[in-house]
Amino acid sequence: MMRHFLGVDVGGTNTRLLLMDDDGEFSGYRKIVTADWARQADPLVALGRLIAGHCKDRQVAQVMLGLPGILSRDRSRVLSLPFIPALDAQPVAALLADALALPVRMDKDVNHLLWWDLQQLPALPQVAVGLYLGTGMGNSLWLNGDFYHGAHGAAGELGHIPWPGHQGECPCGKRGCVESLTSGHWLTGWARANAAQTPFERLFERHGEHPDLRRFVERLAQTIAIEMNVLDPQRLILGGGVIAMSGFPLALLEQEIRRHLRGPQPAQGLAISISRLTDETGSKGACLAARRHLQLSREYPQ
């Protein structure tokens, strides 16, 4: 029986599962509403049942979870998962591994997006950054040939740097975070108040010249430029639902990012590319990450 890897992309709205075999062929894509398992009495048991059902009749070598929260540096424990607080402070991967009798690992979901995008490049860069703007601001750091997690596991929280003069509330519990001004969540509120008759996906197409939306793009560019000037990556990959909106001013965003970069470097050396995300990208990246982890664990056994 051919060996498989299972990628599980857990989102606030939907959970996506996908299998990949040793030949890199994907199969068995499934999308379910996250609340269907996350709001049950024991979410971890419910998630285990979901995974077990998807693994049935398959030889699964590794399961990889992608979670939109903060994990411990060694990726053994969930530190904060706001929409499923029952999993906070839990060694989720180890508990699932015991219940399923399968190897289970986990990482931030945004790292799986970047890992997929990096695999689409002709060569793997030594230093790269992924910025995925959706409801929030997803940020993934690939430094010196590996993902950077930080001292406590919370690296890449770019959306939670303070924006000067801003005191608005952020879903993280703080005030003044740039994400509360520069995200899909902010855009939704602006559209409700200023363009209620416009389908949200066409907001930039119809109102992209509005001063508020031009300032939105400028804030995003300045935020990204801060990280580029600190890290000096070879490549920046931009993606997410907001970036993919019809009429989103990509050329303006890149122009404004480069305008704020230090010269001659990173201004001249930074390559910027656009991620072509699909519904399956997160789970595909999780499958590839599962295979990578298994390969690394064999090369460098603990």
Side-chain angles (χ1 to χ4, degrees):
M1 185 180 294
M2 181 172 284
R3 186 175 64 166
H4 285 77
F5 303 91
L6 176 64
V8 184
D9 182 38
V10 177
T13 302
N14 295 301
T15 296
R16 300 169 174 86
L17 301 95
L18 186 67
L19 288 158
M20 183 184 76
D21 64 26
D22 263 330
D23 292 333
E25 295 294 325
F26 296 102
S27 65
Y29 176 68
R30 183 184 179 194
K31 180 169 75 171
I32 69 164
V33 176
T34 296
D36 287 352
W37 63 267
R39 292 183 182 173
Q40 295 190 27
D42 191 330
L44 196 60
V45 169
L47 179 58
R49 284 198 297 264
L50 178 65
I51 292 172
H54 214 71
C55 292
K56 189 177 180 181
D57 301 324
R58 306 276 190 172
Q59 181 186 341
V60 175
Q62 183 82 55
V63 178
M64 180 64 77
L65 302 178
L67 299 171
I70 297 178
L71 311 180
S72 61
R73 182 181 182 182
D74 63 1
R75 284 4 201 184
S76 67
R77 188 175 294 271
V78 172
L79 301 183
S80 174
L81 195 59
F83 66 94
I84 318 177
L87 300 186
D88 285 358
Q90 296 294 316
V92 169
L95 292 173
L96 284 173
D98 288 344
L100 296 166
L102 288 172
V104 180
R105 300 289 298 180
M106 60 185 180
D107 200 355
K108 286 176 63 174
D109 56 348
V110 70
N111 287 345
H112 295 155
L113 294 177
L114 181 59
W115 185 234
W116 172 262
D117 282 331
L118 291 177
Q119 295 303 299
Q120 312 313 304
L121 300 175
L124 196 61
Q126 277 294 104
V127 181
V129 171
L131 193 290
Y132 300 90
L133 194 66
T135 303
M137 188 180 289
N139 187 208
S140 179
L141 308 177
W142 174 260
L143 303 183
N144 299 321
D146 204 354
F147 288 102
Y148 180 68
H149 302 319
H152 310 97
E157 292 295 312
L158 183 63
H160 301 286
I161 63 172
W163 187 260
H166 176 55
Q167 290 298 316
E169 292 185 5
C170 180
C172 78
K174 292 169 51 184
R175 287 184 173 272
C177 296
V178 68
E179 185 174 290
S180 63
L181 276 177
T182 312
S183 63
H185 179 74
W186 182 90
L187 279 177
T188 300
W190 187 90
R192 189 183 303 118
N194 297 279
Q197 304 306 310
T198 300
F200 182 72
E201 65 274 10
R202 303 187 70 179
L203 190 63
F204 282 97
E205 184 181 313
R206 295 186 181 179
H207 305 285
E209 295 302 317
H210 192 287
D212 290 349
L213 297 188
R214 301 285 285 196
R215 283 192 290 269
F216 175 92
V217 175
E218 171 63 13
R219 285 194 300 272
L220 178 59
Q222 289 177 336
T223 304
I224 293 170
I226 289 170
E227 191 167 70
M228 299 302 99
N229 283 323
V230 170
L231 297 178
D232 183 23
Q234 292 160 275
R235 183 171 294 269
L236 166 66
I237 298 179
L238 299 171
V242 172
I243 301 293
M245 289 172 69
S246 176
F248 184 87
L250 283 169
L252 175 64
L253 176 61
E254 178 171 349
Q255 172 187 310
E256 289 301 301
I257 291 171
R258 293 191 183 280
R259 188 166 69 87
H260 294 293
L261 296 183
R262 177 73 163 86
Q265 300 295 354
Q268 294 178 10
L270 179 66
I272 300 178
S273 55
I274 306 302
S275 173
R276 302 302 177 187
L277 297 182
T278 70
D279 230 22
E280 300 179 14
T281 301
S283 49
K284 283 182 173 179
C287 287
L288 294 179
R291 183 170 65 182
R292 175 176 183 259
H293 175 76
L294 190 62
Q295 291 169 341
L296 289 175
S297 65
R298 290 179 173 176
E299 291 175 13
Y300 306 103
Q302 296 182 353

